[in-house]
Amino acid sequence: MNENITTKQGLSSGLSSEKARIFLEKYGPNILPKKKSDPWWKKLLKEFSDLMVVILIFASLLSFFLGEKIDGSIILAIVFLNAGIGFFQEWKSEKTLEALQKMVSPEATVIRDGVEQKIEAKNLVPGDLIVIREGDRIPADGKVVEVGDLKVEESALTGEPYPVEKEKDAPVFLGTAVVFGSARVLITETGAKTKFGLIAHLTLNTRSAESPLQKEIADIGIFVGKIAVAIVAVIFLLDYFWKGSKVVESFLFSISVAVAAVPEGLPATITIALALGVQRLAKNKAVVKKLSSVETLGATTVICSDKTGTITRNEMTVREGYFSDGVSASWEGIGWNSIGHITMSGLPKSSHASSLSVVLEIGMHCNEAIISPAGDAGVFSIIGDPTEAAILIAAEKFRNQSPGFPREVAEPTKKYPFDSSRKMMSVLAGNGKDGNVLYSKGAPEMILPNATHFFDGEKEAVMTPEKRAEFLAHVSELSEKALRVLAFAKKNIGGDVPKTPKEAEHSLVFYGLLGMIDPPRAEVPEAVEAAHSAGVRIIIITGDNPKTAEAISREVGIIREDEPRIITGDEMRAMSDGELTMMLYETVNGPKKGAKKYRDILFARSAPEDKMRIVSLLQEKGEIVAVTGDGVNDAPALKKANIGVTMGIAGTEVSKEAASMILLDDSFATIVFAIREGRIIYENLKKFIFFLFSGNMSELMVILAVLCFSIPNPFTAVLILVVNLGTDALPAIALSFEKGEKEIMNIPPRAPDARILNKQFILRIFRTGLLLTASVLAVVLWSLMNSGWSYGEGISEFEYEKLRSLAFATLVLSQLFVAFSVRHFRHSALHGLTDNLFLFFSLGVSLAIVLAVIYIPLLQVVFKTSALTGKEMAMVVYLSSLTLWIEEIRKFLLSRKLMKVETT
């Protein structure tokens, strides 16, 4: 607390309005620290900072300088289109995020001037006295000064799904939820000084990791820049020294060719591809805040996942029970749903009520939770302690099988509330005249020592040391399964009502045990298996206890070894970074002979700084790390990670602010869908980059060839722009719609330092560019020879027009065949022929542009072309298609080679 503001008057009537005003000026409003948002114009300017975009802007300015206003205008339009798409997508994500931010309570009930009143939570100050009740979210940090059986759910801070009992002088924290009871709380800290605020401050000061795609685009920009400089130098030298042109003419010509050869549509195509991925994710309940983030999950090598609310449902469920008459039971179904069969082994010794039914009856008496039907049949909403609600749901399932089981229980005569020292609660019910019954529920280590008898199915038998040991063994058995175990007992009491729990809770009759757990989400095991198949490592980092975390992780398939490495927060903090890194990368024998894999590892009882440290060490080893979480304690790691994934339903305001992606359905399966989507986007990026660069390379090679060998040049800069922006744009975008290879989730993640423009990829682009160049030069030479051209001579304007038409048509059609071929790098282009109908539409549009440029008279004048005969078009189609058939032969031979490797 900032100063000694706890006064006698403050504890009874709260602060005065004047004192509150002074404190508000001194301490500031009760709001969390938040990174100042950039103004819209600054966000828009950032869209123009990419190197590729800078090159295009420079190219546009040069075009205007050279008098090519049409060229300059087209390039500039592409630049603004790219910036507009990126700006709009991020703006839309921010608006979606604003609608999700609802963590901090907008109002608080405060006592000021002795009067209870509602005020905006942002106006709370240290020293305020507030009233909190069941269902409230606590609006600031404070300490309890008056309490009425208060239970607070603190999983947003601690990761623990169980409500915490709060007694007088116990601390309570901003953003946590009251699940039961009421209290008066003295506010000690507000805003940035709260526990939430300190973590939020840590998050704001954590730098986000640059995405692989951002690095990739930067590399491509550098590559294009180098190519542009090389083009200017080579063409200038050839034109000046070889052809003998003037210096200024040679320089302007080389600049114009370089401008025309830069893939103007690439930035816009990348942006559109990412935007399409964002839309597909949005349809599957994932909001992406930045376009580049959608691809990052595709590169993910490690997922560091929280447990509660991410892997599990955050809904307590009774799983098993063991009862004093020897009957055991298991419950099907999960969460707040009464649909699920109860399977019993062992039968009651008599027709009297079994111990199971009595245990559920005790659980209904010792219960402050409320369940009510919600929507679908069997589905309930709950108010109160999730553990107590789980008992009521278990009773509903039993009632479905035993309709005579009572729905209501008698009103209590007296309650003996739970407290942390007794670890149990009791309720007295009856009419007081004929006697009362005491129903008790609590920790087995407290109930069993107080039980002098047990119900054996027919009568109350004496509890011997041996029998007590037997029941304790069953407690251990249930606990080993990471179940939270409660014991149930009752006894008859005369007409007198015991005043204290000590007077009441002795000589109990034991009836049985119930084991419950926060169950995993139904879709998680399949998602985990898919992640493992994709070579993505999953590491659980949770604030929960080790046994529970291990059991859940084993159930969903994250842990598969008999002896995994389980490290608590205390153990981890005792390790050096080197020791912890060795633990993270410890290997064991894999499923295949001679293969090694990383040991399954789990972190329990972890603090926020522990998760940050783990993420940092993994990133130092070159890993692409995705972090999932929904609490304030997860926010720093979400910001530090390459991509942070938080929950839209259960996520806190701070975690949503820090994350890159928000799951609207809180489903772990959506993360795996995003991984697949990210991989598909990356593969599609490679496809249209290959398509665009191989086409541009062929254009340059043709120009260089005709310059070197003094052949009439068939292209103008404007005609090349028509190819780059007219006929290439739609097919490049259409390749973004490819659904991906079927085996895309059966291969390991690409290496973190892998780049699209690696040596092998560039050589492949060069090889395809040579094939395209050969096709164009072949049709050029064929046309020249047919016209009677002799080497070193010029040609007429009519022959130039025919030459341009043939070269233009061959170049475009060759590239369209490449677009069709590149839709699969490993499979035949005919594979999944109807998967991407937009590609066929785009190829049709591009072909229509070619025919228009060649056959429409007005366009013939603009582009200086002429119509082709049927024989000439047949030659064009034949030469253009050679790239497709050569590529199909290569894929066939490659598949045969791979089949031989697999069979051996």
Side-chain angles (χ1 to χ4, degrees):
M1 219 166 109
N2 295 291
E3 62 176 51
N4 185 14
I5 51 178
T6 307
T7 65
K8 186 175 180 180
Q9 181 186 4
L11 287 178
S12 60
S13 58
L15 294 176
S16 67
S17 298
E18 179 61 22
K19 190 88 171 187
R21 186 189 64 77
I22 295 170
F23 280 4
L24 186 61
E25 290 179 1
K26 181 175 181 179
Y27 300 118
N30 178 37
I31 56 176
L32 295 178
K34 200 171 184 180
K35 187 176 181 180
K36 188 177 179 181
S37 180
D38 290 331
W40 67 268
W41 57 267
K42 201 167 185 179
K43 293 176 182 177
L44 185 60
L45 284 178
K46 284 182 180 179
E47 299 294 331
F48 297 95
S49 62
D50 182 75
L51 183 57
M52 273 289 293
V53 176
V54 172
I55 291 172
L56 288 179
I57 292 172
F58 180 70
S60 174
L61 294 175
L62 277 175
S63 297
F64 282 115
F65 177 75
L66 296 171
E68 302 291 345
K69 295 180 180 180
I70 295 176
D71 299 3
S73 300
I74 292 173
I75 297 172
L76 211 55
I78 290 293
V79 169
F80 280 105
L81 174 65
N82 173 67
I85 293 171
F87 175 77
F88 175 74
Q89 186 60 48
E90 293 195 16
W91 173 82
K92 194 167 78 169
S93 295
E94 285 183 2
K95 291 300 178 185
T96 305
L97 189 61
E98 286 174 13
L100 292 170
Q101 290 174 337
K102 49 189 176 184
M103 185 58 183
V104 178
S105 176
E107 288 188 327
T109 303
V110 65
I111 298 173
R112 283 189 182 166
D113 302 315
V115 179
E116 184 176 312
Q117 54 188 286
K118 290 272 188 182
I119 67 167
E120 289 186 80
K122 68 179 182 180
N123 293 325
L124 284 176
V125 296
D128 262 327
L129 186 65
I130 65 167
V131 179
I132 55 174
R133 298 183 176 94
E134 190 173 298
D136 287 347
R137 200 170 283 279
I138 296 171
D141 287 4
K143 72 173 183 178
V144 176
V145 293
E146 294 179 23
V147 65
D149 195 16
L150 182 68
K151 294 181 183 178
V152 178
E153 211 266 56
E154 297 182 336
S155 63
L157 278 173
T158 65
E160 292 278 9
Y162 314 119
V164 179
E165 190 83 12
K166 295 290 184 178
E167 299 176 347
K168 188 176 179 181
D169 295 329
V172 292
F173 304 103
L174 165 70
T176 56
V178 180
V179 296
F180 181 76
S182 61
R184 288 192 176 195
V185 172
L186 181 69
I187 299 300
T188 56
E189 300 289 359
T190 58
K193 295 290 184 69
T194 62
K195 197 167 185 178
F196 261 53
L198 294 173
I199 297 174
H201 178 75
L202 175 62
T203 303
L204 292 177
N205 286 279
T206 302
R207 291 189 62 185
S208 299
E210 191 178 31
S211 78
L213 185 62
Q214 288 171 322
K215 298 174 184 176
E216 189 71 40
I217 293 174
D219 286 349
I220 292 172
I222 293 169
F223 177 76
V224 170
K226 290 177 179 177
I227 291 291
V229 171
I231 292 168
V232 172
V234 172
I235 293 180
F236 173 78
L237 292 173
L238 285 172
D239 195 56
Y240 178 67
F241 290 105
W242 189 260
K243 290 186 68 177
S245 300
K246 295 179 180 179
V247 174
V248 175
E249 290 178 357
S250 297
F251 178 70
L252 294 179
F253 176 68
S254 62
I255 290 291
S256 64
V257 173
V259 167
V262 170
E264 293 86 354
L266 183 58
T269 307
I270 291 174
T271 303
I272 290 169
L274 294 175
L276 289 171
V278 167
Q279 290 173 10
R280 284 193 290 267
L281 285 173
K283 289 178 182 177
N284 286 272
K285 307 295 185 183
V287 174
V288 177
K289 293 165 65 177
K290 282 192 175 182
L291 287 179
S292 59
S293 300
V294 73
E295 183 271 342
T296 306
L297 267 171
T300 298
T301 57
V302 182
I303 298 176
C304 293
S305 177
D306 196 4
K307 178 185 71 66
T308 304
T310 307
I311 301 297
T312 64
R313 296 169 59 92
N314 206 12
E315 297 177 359
M316 291 297 291
T317 304
V318 173
R319 278 278 182 87
E320 295 186 29
Y322 181 80
F323 308 99
S324 58
D325 56 0
V327 173
S328 60
S330 61
W331 274 257
E332 294 177 350
I334 55 176
W336 315 131
N337 193 316
S338 64
I339 297 173
H341 187 72
I342 303 173
T343 304
M344 290 181 279
S345 58
L347 296 174
K349 294 181 180 179
S350 71
S351 59
H352 293 91
S354 68
S355 293
L356 185 158
S357 64
V358 178
V359 162
L360 293 175
E361 184 185 351
I362 296 169
M364 291 170 65
H365 276 94
C366 298
N367 209 303
E368 300 286 353
I370 299 171
I371 64 171
S372 55
D376 298 337
V379 178
F380 289 83
S381 62
I382 76 155
I383 299 174
D385 187 338
T387 299
E388 294 183 349
I391 297 171
L392 297 182
I393 297 292
E396 284 289 330
K397 292 176 183 177
F398 183 73
R399 191 174 293 112
N400 292 339
Q401 293 178 217
S402 304
F405 187 67
R407 188 170 294 277
E408 303 290 339
V409 293
E411 286 293 322
T413 304
K414 186 174 178 62
K415 292 182 180 180
Y416 305 94
F418 178 93
D419 67 54
S420 57
S421 59
R422 288 166 41 245
K423 294 184 180 178
M424 60 189 291
M425 71 170 291
S426 297
V427 168
L428 197 64
N431 57 23
K433 182 179 178 183
D434 300 325
N436 295 291
V437 178
L438 183 78
Y439 301 92
S440 298
K441 167 193 91 190
E445 65 269 23
M446 303 304 290
I447 294 282
L448 282 168
N450 285 317
T452 56
H453 294 74
F454 71 95
F455 182 72
D456 67 1
E458 294 180 320
K459 63 183 187 304
E460 295 177 3
V462 174
M463 178 76 76
T464 63
E466 293 76 19
K467 200 67 181 177
R468 185 176 284 109
E470 178 188 324
F471 292 136
L472 287 171
H474 284 289
V475 172
S476 297
E477 182 182 329
L478 292 173
S479 297
E480 286 297 320
K481 298 177 182 179
L483 299 176
R484 186 185 188 193
V485 185
L486 293 178
F488 299 82
K490 73 173 189 175
K491 73 171 182 177
N492 293 318
I493 294 181
D496 295 334
V497 176
K499 293 181 179 180
T500 65
K502 187 176 181 180
E503 293 176 18
E505 295 168 343
H506 62 84
S507 304
L508 301 174
V509 180
F510 174 72
Y511 277 83
L513 308 165
L514 288 180
M516 59 192 71
I517 198 169
D518 179 15
R521 295 175 177 269
E523 70 276 8
V524 169
E526 184 179 350
V528 168
E529 184 179 352
H532 283 155
S533 297
V536 179
R537 189 180 180 193
I538 304 174
I539 299 174
I540 295 293
I541 308 173
T542 179
D544 210 345
N545 70 73
K547 282 188 176 181
T548 302
E550 181 186 1
I552 292 292
S553 300
R554 196 176 292 282
E555 185 172 346
V556 299
I558 292 174
I559 286 181
R560 297 159 291 180
E561 299 168 10
D562 293 334
E563 297 181 359
R565 180 74 67 186
I566 299 174
I567 302 172
T568 65
D570 289 340
E571 291 171 339
M572 190 180 81
R573 285 185 284 275
M575 296 179 187
S576 67
D577 285 353
E579 291 171 329
L580 182 55
T581 301
M582 287 180 64
M583 290 284 189
L584 285 167
Y585 288 93
E586 185 179 0
T587 58
V588 293
N589 292 327
K592 294 182 180 179
K593 186 177 180 181
K596 291 284 185 180
K597 64 177 282 291
Y598 293 125
R599 178 184 288 279
D600 290 339
I601 189 167
L602 182 151
F603 295 91
R605 299 295 188 199
S606 301
E609 58 270 21
D610 298 333
K611 184 176 281 193
M612 279 276 287
R613 184 182 175 200
I614 294 165
V615 171
S616 297
L617 291 177
L618 290 169
Q619 288 178 329
E620 285 176 11
K621 296 292 285 185
E623 306 284 3
I624 304 298
V625 185
V627 170
T628 72
D630 54 13
V632 176
N633 57 331
D634 298 314
L638 289 171
K639 185 73 174 288
K640 173 68 176 173
N642 297 86
I643 181 165
V645 184
T646 193
M647 310 300 132
I649 299 172
T652 62
E653 179 190 15
V654 177
S655 69
K656 290 170 187 174
E657 186 72 28
S660 308
M661 187 167 79
I662 301 167
L663 306 181
L664 299 184
D665 58 358
D666 288 12
S667 173
F668 190 84
T670 306
I671 300 171
V672 178
F673 175 84
I675 289 175
R676 185 176 187 276
E677 189 62 39
R679 290 188 173 193
I680 291 173
I681 287 172
Y682 186 78
E683 287 297 305
N684 289 344
L685 282 172
K686 290 172 64 176
K687 291 170 186 176
F688 63 67
I689 287 173
F690 181 89
F691 165 66
L692 291 173
F693 273 79
S694 60
N696 282 64
M697 186 166 287
S698 66
E699 296 160 14
L700 293 174
M701 287 180 175
V702 169
I703 292 172
L704 288 173
V706 297
L707 283 174
C708 288
F709 298 106
S710 298
I711 299 172
N713 183 8
F715 293 128
T716 63
V718 173
L719 208 56
I720 291 175
L721 269 178
V722 171
V723 176
N724 290 353
L725 300 178
T727 61
D728 283 0
L730 267 183
I733 293 170
L735 288 171
S736 304
F737 286 85
E738 287 296 330
K739 295 183 178 180
E741 315 292 353
K742 60 182 179 180
E743 66 272 14
I744 200 164
M745 288 297 283
N746 294 323
I747 56 176
R750 68 181 187 270
D753 58 350
R755 294 289 177 265
I756 291 177
L757 294 179
N758 55 37
K759 183 179 178 181
Q760 183 180 0
F761 195 78
I762 292 172
L763 287 174
R764 191 171 177 186
I765 289 173
F766 185 75
R767 184 182 69 229
T768 302
L770 279 177
L771 288 173
L772 295 177
T773 302
S775 298
V776 174
L777 289 178
V779 80
V780 166
L781 292 174
W782 177 77
S783 174
L784 290 172
M785 296 305 174
N786 284 343
S787 66
W789 174 78
S790 298
Y791 184 75
E793 294 181 357
I795 58 176
S796 67
E797 183 57 31
F798 173 78
E799 289 170 331
Y800 251 127
E801 290 174 355
K802 179 71 69 175
L803 193 64
R804 288 191 194 101
S805 296
L806 284 167
F808 173 68
T810 304
L811 178 65
V812 174
L813 262 65
S814 297
Q815 292 182 11
L816 297 185
F817 278 115
V818 170
F820 183 71
S821 174
V822 82
R823 58 190 299 264
H824 296 296
F825 280 127
R826 290 176 288 273
H827 302 294
S828 168
L830 302 176
H831 179 74
L833 201 59
T834 60
D835 287 348
N836 188 358
L837 295 178
F838 183 56
L839 178 63
F840 289 98
F841 169 76
S842 68
L843 296 178
V845 171
S846 297
L847 182 59
I849 292 173
V850 172
L851 297 176
V853 168
I854 292 173
Y855 290 106
I856 295 178
L858 179 62
L859 296 181
Q860 288 176 343
V861 174
V862 173
F863 296 106
K864 300 177 182 179
T865 57
S866 62
L868 300 178
T869 65
K871 179 182 177 182
E872 289 169 335
M873 281 301 297
M875 177 61 70
V876 166
V877 172
Y878 167 70
L879 290 173
S880 301
S881 66
L882 289 178
T883 54
L884 173 64
W885 308 126
I886 291 171
E887 186 64 12
E888 286 296 296
I889 292 169
R890 185 194 69 81
K891 291 177 184 177
F892 175 76
L893 294 175
L894 179 63
S895 64
R896 291 285 299 272
K897 183 179 179 181
L898 291 175
M899 286 177 63
K900 286 182 180 180
V901 171
E902 289 176 359
T903 54
T904 56

